[in-house]
Amino acid sequence: MDKVMRLATERGVVLFSKSSCCLCYAVKILFQELGVTPTIHEIDEDPEGREMERALMRLGCKAPVPAVFIGGKLVGSTNEVMSLHLGGGLIPLLRPYQALC
């Protein structure tokens, strides 16, 4: 769990993902459209990936990926991110991390 928390707090927007996950891809595209470049950790390419999955589940993720952290705090998975976005709550959270155009 220490590695997950360290990685989750190193940057403003962090996404734990798997390279073959379509829901992870959807969240990546959403962030891209919103002008945010998250730090992405592909846990299926990390030798400690299985332990990272378990740590994400212990932190409260219903599914281990995608797991989104904003400002070091767990936002959740696809459902939570999309619900926040549709409700107007995601952009204010991301605003400090949006690229300047």
Side-chain angles (χ1 to χ4, degrees), residues 27-89:
V27 172
K28 291 173 192 176
I29 295 300
L30 174 64
F31 285 155
Q32 179 182 357
E33 292 293 320
L34 296 175
V36 174
T37 305
T39 299
I40 299 171
H41 299 285
E42 301 286 359
I43 63 175
D44 58 331
E45 297 173 2
D46 189 302
E48 297 176 52
R50 294 222 187 258
E51 179 53 38
M52 292 169 72
E53 274 188 63
R54 287 190 288 272
L56 289 165
M57 297 292 282
R58 284 192 302 269
L59 287 171
C61 293
K62 293 178 178 120
V65 294
V68 176
F69 289 79
I70 300 175
K73 294 184 175 137
L74 176 63
V75 172
S77 192
T78 308
N79 286 344
E80 292 80 14
V81 170
M82 294 302 182
S83 292
L84 262 176
H85 183 52
L86 293 173

